[in-house]
Amino acid sequence: MAISRYVESRKNIAGCAGGLTGLVLTFTGVAGPYWPVVVAGLYGVGALVAPPERPAPPAFPDPSARLDEVRADFGRLREYLADVDLPPTATDRLTGLTDMLAALLDPGWVTEILAQDPDAVHTLSRAVRQDVPEAVDVYVRTRWWTRLTPGQVPPEQHLVRQLELLHAEAERLARGLRETEARRQESHTRYLEDRSP
């Protein structure tokens, strides 16, 4: 294994090129009786001056693959949310938020743009995997405790506010993607204007 790796290495290839040069010098009569030393020396010089082997960079998952994982997690989140009983106001806010997330995760040109922005992918992933399920789960648990200790701030108020904040964050994300496309369109217009006589 190590031998085959060396045979294919840059050092061996450069050394072989040097050795071939030595053989050419031998056949032209320049090396004379010292031709084995010349060939070996040129091989060694070639191997020494060759650039070092460069290790292959790690293969990280493609951003679009990360979005596929988030899309699958979003499907599981929707199944969970379908089984949770929420007050009407929170249900309306949650529906607006999940519709926005579904539009952002819908396969197509939107996710192609989204995949180019790691921060946007992280924001979307955090909303699907952490923020929304935690907001709903904390509401469900707090609602049970509120029944034992009435007079507290209704947990629905916190849930509605959390869902509003998450919806606003999703809207900012969508607005940023729209602005990216608008800048791209303007750049193309300028390019065509500069190109025309």
Side-chain angles (χ1 to χ4, degrees):
M1 187 75 168
I3 294 173
S4 66
R5 209 168 34 233
Y6 179 75
V7 169
E8 297 171 355
S9 72
R10 293 179 184 179
K11 290 192 174 296
N12 184 48
I13 293 170
C16 288
L20 284 174
T21 304
L23 287 175
V24 169
L25 291 175
T26 300
F27 291 128
T28 58
V30 176
Y34 302 107
W35 70 269
V37 175
V38 171
V39 171
L42 287 175
Y43 176 87
V45 168
L48 287 174
V49 299
E53 290 298 317
R54 180 179 60 83
F60 294 115
D62 185 74
S64 60
R66 287 183 55 208
L67 281 174
D68 289 340
E69 293 172 9
V70 175
R71 195 175 293 117
D73 291 344
F74 182 62
R76 286 192 290 275
L77 175 64
R78 287 186 112 160
E79 291 172 9
Y80 162 71
L81 295 174
D83 293 336
V84 177
D85 182 32
L86 298 175
T89 308
T91 301
D92 293 343
R93 299 292 193 285
L94 185 60
T95 300
L97 174 60
T98 54
D99 288 348
M100 175 73 76
L101 294 175
L104 289 169
L105 286 169
D106 190 32
W109 63 271
V110 174
T111 52
E112 289 174 12
I113 301 166
L114 188 63
Q116 297 171 10
D117 185 353
D119 291 335
V121 173
H122 174 71
T123 299
L124 199 54
S125 172
R126 184 181 58 207
V128 168
R129 294 175 173 161
Q130 179 182 345
D131 295 335
V132 174
E134 184 173 342
V136 172
D137 185 55
V138 169
Y139 162 76
V140 170
R141 286 184 284 132
T142 308
R143 178 180 61 182
W144 184 84
W145 286 105
T146 304
R147 292 176 184 159
L148 298 178
T149 57
Q152 304 291 323
V153 175
E156 302 85 51
Q157 287 183 5
H158 289 289
L159 177 61
V160 167
R161 181 64 183 139
Q162 291 166 6
L163 295 174
E164 287 172 347
L165 292 169
L166 290 170
H167 191 273
E169 184 177 54
E171 283 181 331
R172 281 193 302 275
L173 181 60
R175 190 167 47 249
L177 295 174
R178 186 182 69 236
E179 289 169 0
T180 299
E181 283 301 287
R183 284 193 300 273
R184 184 174 170 213
Q185 185 182 34
E186 290 168 7
S187 296
H188 190 63
T189 301
R190 282 194 300 274
Y191 163 73
L192 292 174
E193 289 172 347
D194 293 343
R195 198 175 72 180
S196 62

